[in-house]
Short mmCIF file of all heavy atoms in Angstrom, two decimals:
data_model
loop_
_atom_site.label_atom_id
_atom_site.label_comp_id
_atom_site.label_asym_id
_atom_site.label_seq_id
_atom_site.Cartn_x
_atom_site.Cartn_y
_atom_site.Cartn_z
N MET A 1 15.33 -44.80 232.08
CA MET A 1 16.40 -45.33 231.24
C MET A 1 17.68 -45.42 232.08
O MET A 1 18.04 -44.48 232.79
CB MET A 1 16.64 -44.39 230.04
CG MET A 1 17.69 -44.90 229.10
SD MET A 1 17.74 -43.81 227.65
CE MET A 1 19.41 -44.06 227.17
N GLU A 2 18.36 -46.57 232.03
CA GLU A 2 19.59 -46.80 232.79
C GLU A 2 20.71 -45.91 232.29
O GLU A 2 20.83 -45.64 231.09
CB GLU A 2 20.05 -48.26 232.59
CG GLU A 2 19.17 -49.28 233.26
CD GLU A 2 19.30 -49.20 234.80
OE1 GLU A 2 20.44 -49.27 235.29
OE2 GLU A 2 18.27 -48.98 235.44
N CYS A 3 21.53 -45.44 233.20
CA CYS A 3 22.72 -44.68 232.81
C CYS A 3 23.67 -45.64 232.10
O CYS A 3 23.89 -46.74 232.56
CB CYS A 3 23.40 -44.07 234.03
SG CYS A 3 24.89 -43.15 233.60
N ARG A 4 24.22 -45.19 230.99
CA ARG A 4 25.12 -46.03 230.18
C ARG A 4 26.57 -45.68 230.47
O ARG A 4 27.42 -45.73 229.58
CB ARG A 4 24.78 -45.86 228.71
CG ARG A 4 23.37 -46.30 228.34
CD ARG A 4 22.95 -45.75 227.00
NE ARG A 4 24.04 -45.71 226.04
CZ ARG A 4 24.27 -46.64 225.10
NH1 ARG A 4 23.48 -47.66 225.00
NH2 ARG A 4 25.27 -46.54 224.27
N LYS A 5 26.88 -45.30 231.73
CA LYS A 5 28.22 -44.83 232.06
C LYS A 5 29.31 -45.77 231.59
O LYS A 5 30.25 -45.35 230.91
CB LYS A 5 28.34 -44.59 233.57
CG LYS A 5 29.69 -44.02 233.96
CD LYS A 5 29.79 -43.73 235.44
CE LYS A 5 31.18 -43.18 235.75
NZ LYS A 5 31.32 -42.85 237.18
N GLU A 6 29.18 -47.05 231.89
CA GLU A 6 30.24 -48.00 231.53
C GLU A 6 30.41 -48.06 230.01
O GLU A 6 31.54 -48.07 229.51
CB GLU A 6 29.90 -49.40 232.10
CG GLU A 6 29.92 -49.46 233.61
CD GLU A 6 31.15 -48.76 234.22
OE1 GLU A 6 32.27 -49.03 233.72
OE2 GLU A 6 30.98 -47.89 235.11
N GLU A 7 29.30 -48.06 229.30
CA GLU A 7 29.35 -48.07 227.82
C GLU A 7 29.96 -46.77 227.31
O GLU A 7 30.82 -46.78 226.43
CB GLU A 7 27.92 -48.22 227.29
CG GLU A 7 27.81 -48.53 225.82
CD GLU A 7 28.46 -49.85 225.43
OE1 GLU A 7 28.53 -50.76 226.27
OE2 GLU A 7 28.96 -49.93 224.30
N ASN A 8 29.56 -45.66 227.88
CA ASN A 8 30.07 -44.35 227.44
C ASN A 8 31.57 -44.23 227.67
O ASN A 8 32.28 -43.64 226.85
CB ASN A 8 29.36 -43.23 228.20
CG ASN A 8 27.88 -43.18 227.93
OD1 ASN A 8 27.41 -43.69 226.92
ND2 ASN A 8 27.14 -42.58 228.85
N LEU A 9 32.05 -44.79 228.76
CA LEU A 9 33.47 -44.69 229.09
C LEU A 9 34.35 -45.32 228.02
O LEU A 9 35.49 -44.91 227.82
CB LEU A 9 33.74 -45.32 230.46
CG LEU A 9 33.30 -44.49 231.66
CD1 LEU A 9 33.41 -45.29 232.94
CD2 LEU A 9 34.11 -43.20 231.74
N LYS A 10 33.78 -46.29 227.26
CA LYS A 10 34.55 -46.94 226.19
C LYS A 10 34.88 -45.95 225.07
O LYS A 10 35.87 -46.11 224.36
CB LYS A 10 33.77 -48.13 225.62
CG LYS A 10 33.59 -49.26 226.62
CD LYS A 10 32.71 -50.36 226.04
CE LYS A 10 32.39 -51.39 227.10
NZ LYS A 10 31.26 -52.29 226.68
N ASN A 11 34.06 -44.92 224.93
CA ASN A 11 34.27 -43.94 223.86
C ASN A 11 34.67 -42.57 224.37
O ASN A 11 34.78 -41.62 223.59
CB ASN A 11 32.97 -43.79 223.04
CG ASN A 11 32.51 -45.12 222.52
OD1 ASN A 11 33.28 -45.85 221.92
ND2 ASN A 11 31.26 -45.45 222.80
N CYS A 12 34.88 -42.46 225.67
CA CYS A 12 35.18 -41.16 226.25
C CYS A 12 36.70 -40.93 226.29
O CYS A 12 37.42 -41.67 226.93
CB CYS A 12 34.62 -41.06 227.66
SG CYS A 12 34.92 -39.46 228.41
N ASN A 13 37.12 -39.90 225.61
CA ASN A 13 38.57 -39.61 225.54
C ASN A 13 38.98 -38.52 226.52
O ASN A 13 40.09 -38.05 226.51
CB ASN A 13 38.95 -39.19 224.12
CG ASN A 13 38.36 -37.82 223.80
OD1 ASN A 13 37.36 -37.41 224.37
ND2 ASN A 13 38.99 -37.12 222.88
N CYS A 14 38.07 -38.15 227.42
CA CYS A 14 38.37 -37.07 228.35
C CYS A 14 39.43 -37.50 229.36
O CYS A 14 39.25 -38.51 230.05
CB CYS A 14 37.11 -36.62 229.09
SG CYS A 14 37.41 -35.18 230.13
N THR A 15 40.51 -36.73 229.45
CA THR A 15 41.59 -37.06 230.39
C THR A 15 41.53 -36.19 231.63
O THR A 15 42.38 -36.31 232.50
CB THR A 15 42.96 -36.88 229.71
OG1 THR A 15 43.08 -35.52 229.25
CG2 THR A 15 43.14 -37.84 228.54
N TYR A 16 40.51 -35.32 231.68
CA TYR A 16 40.38 -34.43 232.83
C TYR A 16 39.83 -35.23 234.01
O TYR A 16 38.98 -36.11 233.83
CB TYR A 16 39.43 -33.28 232.47
CG TYR A 16 39.49 -32.13 233.43
CD1 TYR A 16 40.56 -31.26 233.44
CD2 TYR A 16 38.45 -31.91 234.34
CE1 TYR A 16 40.63 -30.20 234.34
CE2 TYR A 16 38.49 -30.85 235.23
CZ TYR A 16 39.59 -30.00 235.22
OH TYR A 16 39.64 -28.97 236.11
N ASN A 17 40.32 -34.96 235.22
CA ASN A 17 39.85 -35.67 236.41
C ASN A 17 38.49 -35.10 236.82
O ASN A 17 38.41 -34.13 237.56
CB ASN A 17 40.87 -35.50 237.54
CG ASN A 17 40.45 -36.29 238.77
OD1 ASN A 17 39.55 -37.12 238.70
ND2 ASN A 17 41.10 -36.01 239.89
N CYS A 18 37.41 -35.70 236.32
CA CYS A 18 36.07 -35.15 236.48
C CYS A 18 35.08 -36.21 236.97
O CYS A 18 35.08 -37.34 236.47
CB CYS A 18 35.61 -34.60 235.13
SG CYS A 18 33.90 -34.04 235.12
N SER A 19 34.23 -35.82 237.91
CA SER A 19 33.23 -36.77 238.46
C SER A 19 32.14 -37.11 237.45
O SER A 19 31.41 -38.08 237.62
CB SER A 19 32.58 -36.14 239.70
OG SER A 19 31.90 -34.94 239.32
N LYS A 20 32.05 -36.32 236.38
CA LYS A 20 30.99 -36.55 235.38
C LYS A 20 31.46 -37.41 234.22
O LYS A 20 30.68 -37.72 233.32
CB LYS A 20 30.48 -35.21 234.87
CG LYS A 20 29.83 -34.38 235.97
CD LYS A 20 29.41 -33.02 235.49
CE LYS A 20 28.87 -32.21 236.64
NZ LYS A 20 29.90 -31.89 237.68
N LYS A 21 32.72 -37.85 234.27
CA LYS A 21 33.28 -38.64 233.16
C LYS A 21 32.41 -39.86 232.89
O LYS A 21 32.11 -40.63 233.79
CB LYS A 21 34.71 -39.07 233.48
CG LYS A 21 35.42 -39.73 232.31
CD LYS A 21 36.86 -40.04 232.66
CE LYS A 21 37.47 -40.94 231.64
NZ LYS A 21 37.95 -40.24 230.44
N GLY A 22 31.96 -40.01 231.65
CA GLY A 22 31.13 -41.14 231.26
C GLY A 22 29.64 -40.93 231.49
O GLY A 22 28.82 -41.70 231.00
N ILE A 23 29.29 -39.87 232.25
CA ILE A 23 27.88 -39.54 232.44
C ILE A 23 27.58 -38.39 231.47
O ILE A 23 27.57 -37.21 231.83
CB ILE A 23 27.59 -39.15 233.90
CG1 ILE A 23 28.18 -40.17 234.86
CG2 ILE A 23 26.08 -38.98 234.13
CD1 ILE A 23 28.12 -39.76 236.33
N CYS A 24 27.35 -38.76 230.23
CA CYS A 24 27.29 -37.77 229.15
C CYS A 24 26.24 -36.69 229.36
O CYS A 24 26.49 -35.52 229.07
CB CYS A 24 27.08 -38.48 227.82
SG CYS A 24 28.40 -39.62 227.42
N CYS A 25 25.10 -37.05 229.88
CA CYS A 25 24.04 -36.06 230.07
C CYS A 25 24.54 -34.93 230.98
O CYS A 25 24.33 -33.76 230.69
CB CYS A 25 22.78 -36.71 230.63
SG CYS A 25 23.05 -37.63 232.13
N LEU A 26 25.24 -35.28 232.05
CA LEU A 26 25.75 -34.27 232.99
C LEU A 26 26.94 -33.53 232.39
O LEU A 26 27.09 -32.32 232.57
CB LEU A 26 26.13 -34.91 234.31
CG LEU A 26 25.00 -35.53 235.12
CD1 LEU A 26 25.54 -36.13 236.42
CD2 LEU A 26 23.92 -34.50 235.39
N CYS A 27 27.75 -34.25 231.64
CA CYS A 27 28.92 -33.65 231.00
C CYS A 27 28.48 -32.59 230.00
O CYS A 27 28.96 -31.45 230.04
CB CYS A 27 29.73 -34.74 230.30
SG CYS A 27 31.07 -34.14 229.29
N VAL A 28 27.56 -32.95 229.12
CA VAL A 28 27.06 -32.00 228.12
C VAL A 28 26.41 -30.79 228.79
O VAL A 28 26.67 -29.64 228.41
CB VAL A 28 26.08 -32.68 227.15
CG1 VAL A 28 25.38 -31.67 226.26
CG2 VAL A 28 26.80 -33.74 226.32
N LYS A 29 25.61 -31.06 229.83
CA LYS A 29 24.92 -29.96 230.55
C LYS A 29 25.95 -28.98 231.11
O LYS A 29 25.84 -27.77 230.91
CB LYS A 29 24.07 -30.55 231.68
CG LYS A 29 23.29 -29.51 232.48
CD LYS A 29 22.44 -30.21 233.54
CE LYS A 29 21.67 -29.22 234.40
NZ LYS A 29 22.56 -28.36 235.25
N GLU A 30 26.98 -29.50 231.75
CA GLU A 30 27.99 -28.65 232.36
C GLU A 30 28.74 -27.84 231.31
O GLU A 30 28.93 -26.63 231.45
CB GLU A 30 29.00 -29.49 233.15
CG GLU A 30 30.16 -28.65 233.65
CD GLU A 30 30.69 -29.06 234.99
OE1 GLU A 30 29.93 -29.65 235.77
OE2 GLU A 30 31.87 -28.78 235.23
N HIS A 31 29.15 -28.48 230.24
CA HIS A 31 29.91 -27.77 229.21
C HIS A 31 29.02 -26.75 228.49
O HIS A 31 29.47 -25.66 228.18
CB HIS A 31 30.55 -28.76 228.24
CG HIS A 31 31.75 -29.44 228.82
ND1 HIS A 31 32.92 -28.76 229.09
CD2 HIS A 31 31.96 -30.72 229.21
CE1 HIS A 31 33.80 -29.59 229.62
NE2 HIS A 31 33.24 -30.79 229.70
N ARG A 32 27.75 -27.13 228.26
CA ARG A 32 26.83 -26.21 227.59
C ARG A 32 26.66 -24.94 228.44
O ARG A 32 26.69 -23.84 227.92
CB ARG A 32 25.48 -26.88 227.36
CG ARG A 32 24.54 -26.05 226.49
CD ARG A 32 23.18 -26.71 226.33
NE ARG A 32 22.56 -26.95 227.63
CZ ARG A 32 21.93 -28.10 227.97
NH1 ARG A 32 21.88 -29.10 227.12
NH2 ARG A 32 21.40 -28.24 229.17
N GLU A 33 26.52 -25.12 229.76
CA GLU A 33 26.36 -23.97 230.64
C GLU A 33 27.58 -23.05 230.60
O GLU A 33 27.48 -21.86 230.84
CB GLU A 33 26.09 -24.44 232.08
CG GLU A 33 24.68 -24.96 232.28
CD GLU A 33 24.50 -25.74 233.58
OE1 GLU A 33 25.50 -25.90 234.33
OE2 GLU A 33 23.39 -26.23 233.81
N ARG A 34 28.71 -23.63 230.26
CA ARG A 34 29.94 -22.84 230.18
C ARG A 34 30.28 -22.47 228.75
O ARG A 34 31.40 -22.04 228.47
CB ARG A 34 31.10 -23.64 230.78
CG ARG A 34 30.87 -23.97 232.24
CD ARG A 34 32.12 -24.22 233.02
NE ARG A 34 33.00 -25.20 232.44
CZ ARG A 34 33.39 -26.32 233.02
NH1 ARG A 34 32.90 -26.62 234.21
NH2 ARG A 34 34.20 -27.16 232.45
N LYS A 35 29.29 -22.67 227.86
CA LYS A 35 29.49 -22.37 226.43
C LYS A 35 30.73 -23.08 225.91
O LYS A 35 31.57 -22.49 225.23
CB LYS A 35 29.56 -20.87 226.19
CG LYS A 35 28.27 -20.13 226.60
CD LYS A 35 28.08 -18.83 225.88
CE LYS A 35 26.82 -18.10 226.24
NZ LYS A 35 25.73 -18.81 226.87
N GLU A 36 30.83 -24.37 226.28
CA GLU A 36 31.95 -25.21 225.86
C GLU A 36 31.42 -26.45 225.15
O GLU A 36 30.22 -26.68 225.09
CB GLU A 36 32.77 -25.66 227.07
CG GLU A 36 33.49 -24.54 227.79
CD GLU A 36 34.22 -25.06 229.02
OE1 GLU A 36 33.87 -26.16 229.51
OE2 GLU A 36 35.14 -24.37 229.50
N ILE A 37 32.37 -27.26 224.65
CA ILE A 37 32.04 -28.50 223.94
C ILE A 37 32.75 -29.66 224.63
O ILE A 37 33.92 -29.51 225.01
CB ILE A 37 32.47 -28.37 222.46
CG1 ILE A 37 31.64 -27.26 221.80
CG2 ILE A 37 32.32 -29.68 221.71
CD1 ILE A 37 32.04 -26.92 220.38
N PRO A 38 32.08 -30.80 224.86
CA PRO A 38 32.71 -31.92 225.56
C PRO A 38 33.96 -32.46 224.87
O PRO A 38 34.10 -32.35 223.64
CB PRO A 38 31.61 -32.98 225.58
CG PRO A 38 30.35 -32.23 225.48
CD PRO A 38 30.66 -31.07 224.57
N ALA A 39 34.82 -33.06 225.63
CA ALA A 39 36.12 -33.57 225.17
C ALA A 39 36.02 -34.48 223.96
O ALA A 39 36.88 -34.44 223.07
CB ALA A 39 36.79 -34.33 226.31
N CYS A 40 34.98 -35.30 223.90
CA CYS A 40 34.91 -36.31 222.85
C CYS A 40 34.71 -35.73 221.45
O CYS A 40 34.76 -36.46 220.45
CB CYS A 40 33.82 -37.34 223.16
SG CYS A 40 32.21 -36.61 223.46
N PHE A 41 34.48 -34.42 221.36
CA PHE A 41 34.41 -33.76 220.07
C PHE A 41 35.79 -33.30 219.60
O PHE A 41 35.93 -32.79 218.48
CB PHE A 41 33.48 -32.54 220.14
CG PHE A 41 32.02 -32.90 220.23
CD1 PHE A 41 31.47 -33.33 221.43
CD2 PHE A 41 31.21 -32.85 219.11
CE1 PHE A 41 30.13 -33.67 221.53
CE2 PHE A 41 29.87 -33.19 219.18
CZ PHE A 41 29.33 -33.60 220.40
N PHE A 42 36.80 -33.45 220.45
CA PHE A 42 38.15 -32.99 220.13
C PHE A 42 39.09 -34.18 219.90
O PHE A 42 38.99 -35.19 220.59
CB PHE A 42 38.72 -32.15 221.28
CG PHE A 42 38.02 -30.85 221.51
CD1 PHE A 42 36.92 -30.77 222.37
CD2 PHE A 42 38.42 -29.69 220.87
CE1 PHE A 42 36.26 -29.56 222.58
CE2 PHE A 42 37.77 -28.49 221.08
CZ PHE A 42 36.69 -28.41 221.93
N PRO A 43 40.02 -34.06 218.95
CA PRO A 43 41.04 -35.10 218.81
C PRO A 43 41.97 -35.08 220.03
O PRO A 43 42.03 -34.08 220.75
CB PRO A 43 41.80 -34.70 217.54
CG PRO A 43 41.55 -33.24 217.40
CD PRO A 43 40.18 -32.97 218.00
N LYS A 44 42.70 -36.19 220.23
CA LYS A 44 43.55 -36.37 221.42
C LYS A 44 44.45 -35.16 221.67
O LYS A 44 44.55 -34.66 222.79
CB LYS A 44 44.40 -37.63 221.23
CG LYS A 44 45.09 -38.10 222.49
CD LYS A 44 45.78 -39.45 222.24
CE LYS A 44 46.50 -39.89 223.50
NZ LYS A 44 47.18 -41.20 223.29
N SER A 45 45.10 -34.67 220.61
CA SER A 45 46.06 -33.57 220.77
C SER A 45 45.37 -32.31 221.29
O SER A 45 45.95 -31.55 222.07
CB SER A 45 46.72 -33.27 219.41
OG SER A 45 45.69 -32.97 218.46
N ALA A 46 44.14 -32.06 220.88
CA ALA A 46 43.40 -30.87 221.33
C ALA A 46 42.75 -31.13 222.68
O ALA A 46 42.68 -30.22 223.52
CB ALA A 46 42.34 -30.49 220.29
N GLU A 47 42.30 -32.34 222.89
CA GLU A 47 41.64 -32.68 224.15
C GLU A 47 42.57 -32.43 225.34
O GLU A 47 42.17 -31.84 226.36
CB GLU A 47 41.19 -34.15 224.16
CG GLU A 47 40.38 -34.55 225.38
CD GLU A 47 41.24 -34.79 226.63
OE1 GLU A 47 42.36 -35.29 226.49
OE2 GLU A 47 40.76 -34.45 227.73
N LYS A 48 43.82 -32.83 225.20
CA LYS A 48 44.74 -32.74 226.34
C LYS A 48 45.10 -31.31 226.72
O LYS A 48 45.72 -31.09 227.76
CB LYS A 48 45.99 -33.59 226.10
CG LYS A 48 46.90 -33.12 225.00
CD LYS A 48 48.08 -34.09 224.85
CE LYS A 48 49.04 -33.57 223.79
NZ LYS A 48 50.14 -34.51 223.54
N THR A 49 44.70 -30.30 225.93
CA THR A 49 44.92 -28.90 226.31
C THR A 49 43.86 -28.45 227.31
O THR A 49 44.03 -27.39 227.94
CB THR A 49 44.81 -27.98 225.07
OG1 THR A 49 43.45 -27.99 224.60
CG2 THR A 49 45.78 -28.39 223.97
N TYR A 50 42.76 -29.23 227.44
CA TYR A 50 41.62 -28.88 228.29
C TYR A 50 40.92 -27.60 227.84
O TYR A 50 40.06 -27.08 228.55
CB TYR A 50 42.01 -28.76 229.78
CG TYR A 50 42.57 -30.05 230.35
CD1 TYR A 50 43.57 -30.03 231.30
CD2 TYR A 50 42.10 -31.28 229.92
CE1 TYR A 50 44.10 -31.21 231.84
CE2 TYR A 50 42.62 -32.47 230.44
CZ TYR A 50 43.62 -32.43 231.39
OH TYR A 50 44.13 -33.58 231.91
N ASP A 51 41.26 -27.10 226.65
CA ASP A 51 40.54 -25.94 226.11
C ASP A 51 39.30 -26.47 225.41
O ASP A 51 39.38 -26.96 224.27
CB ASP A 51 41.43 -25.17 225.12
CG ASP A 51 40.71 -23.97 224.50
OD1 ASP A 51 39.48 -23.83 224.73
OD2 ASP A 51 41.36 -23.19 223.79
N ARG A 52 38.15 -26.41 226.06
CA ARG A 52 36.89 -26.95 225.54
C ARG A 52 36.04 -25.85 224.91
O ARG A 52 34.85 -26.02 224.67
CB ARG A 52 36.09 -27.60 226.67
CG ARG A 52 36.83 -28.67 227.45
CD ARG A 52 36.86 -29.98 226.72
NE ARG A 52 37.34 -31.06 227.59
CZ ARG A 52 38.59 -31.52 227.58
NH1 ARG A 52 39.47 -30.99 226.77
NH2 ARG A 52 38.95 -32.49 228.39
N SER A 53 36.68 -24.71 224.60
CA SER A 53 35.91 -23.58 224.08
C SER A 53 35.39 -23.84 222.67
O SER A 53 35.99 -24.60 221.90
CB SER A 53 36.78 -22.31 224.07
OG SER A 53 37.84 -22.47 223.14
N ILE A 54 34.29 -23.16 222.32
CA ILE A 54 33.73 -23.25 220.97
C ILE A 54 34.76 -22.69 219.98
O ILE A 54 34.95 -23.25 218.90
CB ILE A 54 32.39 -22.50 220.90
CG1 ILE A 54 31.37 -23.21 221.79
CG2 ILE A 54 31.90 -22.39 219.46
CD1 ILE A 54 30.07 -22.43 222.00
N LYS A 55 35.47 -21.63 220.42
CA LYS A 55 36.50 -21.01 219.57
C LYS A 55 37.57 -22.05 219.20
O LYS A 55 37.94 -22.16 218.02
CB LYS A 55 37.13 -19.85 220.36
CG LYS A 55 38.20 -19.08 219.61
CD LYS A 55 38.59 -17.83 220.43
CE LYS A 55 39.76 -17.12 219.78
NZ LYS A 55 41.09 -17.72 220.17
N HIS A 56 38.01 -22.82 220.19
CA HIS A 56 39.04 -23.83 219.94
C HIS A 56 38.50 -24.90 218.97
O HIS A 56 39.18 -25.31 218.03
CB HIS A 56 39.46 -24.47 221.26
CG HIS A 56 40.61 -25.43 221.15
ND1 HIS A 56 40.81 -26.44 222.08
CD2 HIS A 56 41.62 -25.54 220.25
CE1 HIS A 56 41.88 -27.14 221.73
NE2 HIS A 56 42.39 -26.62 220.64
N PHE A 57 37.24 -25.31 219.19
CA PHE A 57 36.62 -26.32 218.33
C PHE A 57 36.55 -25.84 216.88
O PHE A 57 36.90 -26.58 215.95
CB PHE A 57 35.21 -26.63 218.84
CG PHE A 57 34.47 -27.67 218.02
CD1 PHE A 57 34.73 -29.01 218.19
CD2 PHE A 57 33.53 -27.28 217.09
CE1 PHE A 57 34.07 -29.96 217.43
CE2 PHE A 57 32.86 -28.22 216.32
CZ PHE A 57 33.14 -29.56 216.48
N VAL A 58 36.16 -24.59 216.68
CA VAL A 58 36.08 -24.03 215.34
C VAL A 58 37.47 -23.95 214.71
O VAL A 58 37.66 -24.34 213.56
CB VAL A 58 35.41 -22.63 215.38
CG1 VAL A 58 35.52 -21.93 214.02
CG2 VAL A 58 33.95 -22.76 215.79
N GLU A 59 38.45 -23.52 215.50
CA GLU A 59 39.83 -23.40 215.00
C GLU A 59 40.35 -24.73 214.46
O GLU A 59 40.91 -24.78 213.37
CB GLU A 59 40.76 -22.91 216.11
CG GLU A 59 40.84 -21.41 216.26
CD GLU A 59 41.52 -21.02 217.58
OE1 GLU A 59 42.21 -21.88 218.20
OE2 GLU A 59 41.33 -19.85 217.99
N ILE A 60 40.15 -25.79 215.22
CA ILE A 60 40.74 -27.07 214.80
C ILE A 60 39.91 -27.77 213.74
O ILE A 60 40.37 -28.74 213.14
CB ILE A 60 40.96 -28.03 216.00
CG1 ILE A 60 39.66 -28.39 216.67
CG2 ILE A 60 41.99 -27.48 216.99
CD1 ILE A 60 39.79 -29.54 217.65
N ASN A 61 38.72 -27.27 213.48
CA ASN A 61 37.88 -27.86 212.44
C ASN A 61 37.76 -27.01 211.20
O ASN A 61 36.90 -27.26 210.34
CB ASN A 61 36.49 -28.18 213.01
CG ASN A 61 36.55 -29.36 213.96
OD1 ASN A 61 36.72 -30.50 213.52
ND2 ASN A 61 36.49 -29.09 215.25
N LYS A 62 38.61 -25.98 211.09
CA LYS A 62 38.58 -25.11 209.90
C LYS A 62 38.96 -25.90 208.66
O LYS A 62 39.81 -26.76 208.73
CB LYS A 62 39.57 -23.96 210.08
CG LYS A 62 38.94 -22.78 210.79
CD LYS A 62 39.93 -21.63 210.82
CE LYS A 62 39.38 -20.51 211.70
NZ LYS A 62 40.43 -19.55 212.06
S1 SF4 B 101 29.94 -36.31 226.52
FE1 SF4 B 101 31.52 -36.06 228.12
S2 SF4 B 101 31.42 -37.92 229.35
FE2 SF4 B 101 30.35 -38.35 227.41
S3 SF4 B 101 31.91 -39.27 226.10
FE3 SF4 B 101 31.88 -37.04 225.69
S4 SF4 B 101 33.47 -36.18 227.03
FE4 SF4 B 101 33.01 -38.24 227.82
#
C-alpha cells in the first residue's frame, strides 16, 4: 500500500518540526511508545503546547 503522506499532510495539524509529519503509521507508533497521543487529536490551542500526554488529552476532553 502506498504511503499517503501528501494526503495525510492536508489533515495534519502538527506544528512540531518532525521527520514523521504526515507519515501517520510512524507518528502513531512513536507516540504510542511514549504513551502519548498524536497532534491531530488535539485542537490548535492544545497542539501548540506540544504536550501530547494522555493526561493532557483527557483534561481537554472532560
Ligand atoms: S497521526 Fe501524526 S502525522 Fe498523521 S495526521 Fe496525526 S499528527 Fe499528523
Side-chain angles (χ1 to χ4, degrees):
M1 182 173 153
E2 290 290 307
C3 179
R4 298 164 36 98
K5 183 177 179 179
E6 294 315 312
E7 192 61 28
N8 297 339
L9 285 171
K10 294 175 187 166
N11 304 310
C12 182
N13 69 335
C14 185
T15 58
Y16 195 74
N17 183 13
C18 174
S19 62
K20 297 176 184 66
K21 187 176 168 82
I23 311 171
C24 300
C25 55
L26 295 180
C27 173
V28 170
K29 181 178 178 294
E30 173 145 334
H31 284 292
R32 188 183 57 224
E33 284 166 0
R34 299 204 307 239
K35 298 204 179 342
E36 294 177 340
I37 296 174
C40 54
F41 288 77
F42 293 89
K44 193 174 178 180
S45 57
E47 186 282 325
K48 67 182 183 184
T49 67
Y50 299 145
D51 179 352
R52 305 281 192 261
S53 66
I54 294 170
K55 181 172 174 276
H56 186 204
F57 180 79
V58 171
E59 273 167 17
I60 63 168
N61 288 288
K62 272 185 188 165

